[in-house]
Amino acid sequence: MKGLWTPAWIARHLLAIVLTAGCLGLGWWQFSRAQEGNAISWGYMFEWPVFAAFVVFLWFREVQLVRKKAAPPEQPEPDQQERQEEKLPGTPVTVGRPVRVAVRPTADADDPELVAYNDYLAWLAAHPGARPGDYPG
């Protein structure tokens, strides 16, 4: 727990307390304005406590992450160690990746629209000053 009482963490704790109190205070202020007849303040009255809850959630999550990192790693049980040793020692650990192989389409599988588009592109390349509307096809 020493890691949560460093000067940086004390500043974070204080910031979380100030932000939470500030958001709740602004929610109370909006409640008083809403009771005076300001209709839009009803929405803000519910919004500020949500912000306060978000600050508390983030603070709690960060504390849990630090505590999890500070905890010593668990030692595997002897059965698990034996299973790990059964794997060939000295072999590199690899991560499987999907292999993509380029496949050329067969000649009889040509798409007529693709053939027409390729003809159009070839015509445009052969006639650089032509407009697309000049294409005879």
Side-chain angles (χ1 to χ4, degrees), residues 10-71:
I10 291 173
R12 290 179 188 154
H13 296 317
L14 290 176
L15 180 66
I17 291 170
V18 167
L19 287 175
T20 303
C23 289
L24 292 175
L26 287 170
W28 184 258
W29 172 63
Q30 289 296 334
F31 175 69
S32 65
R33 288 192 62 198
Q35 284 188 332
E36 293 172 359
N38 188 350
I40 200 166
S41 291
W42 287 110
Y44 291 129
M45 179 193 73
F46 292 110
E47 188 177 80
W48 283 110
V50 171
F51 291 155
F54 184 68
V55 169
V56 170
F57 167 75
L58 288 179
W59 172 82
F60 181 77
R61 184 170 179 255
E62 290 297 318
V63 168
Q64 293 301 317
L65 286 174
V66 168
R67 290 179 68 197
K68 188 175 185 180
K69 287 180 184 176

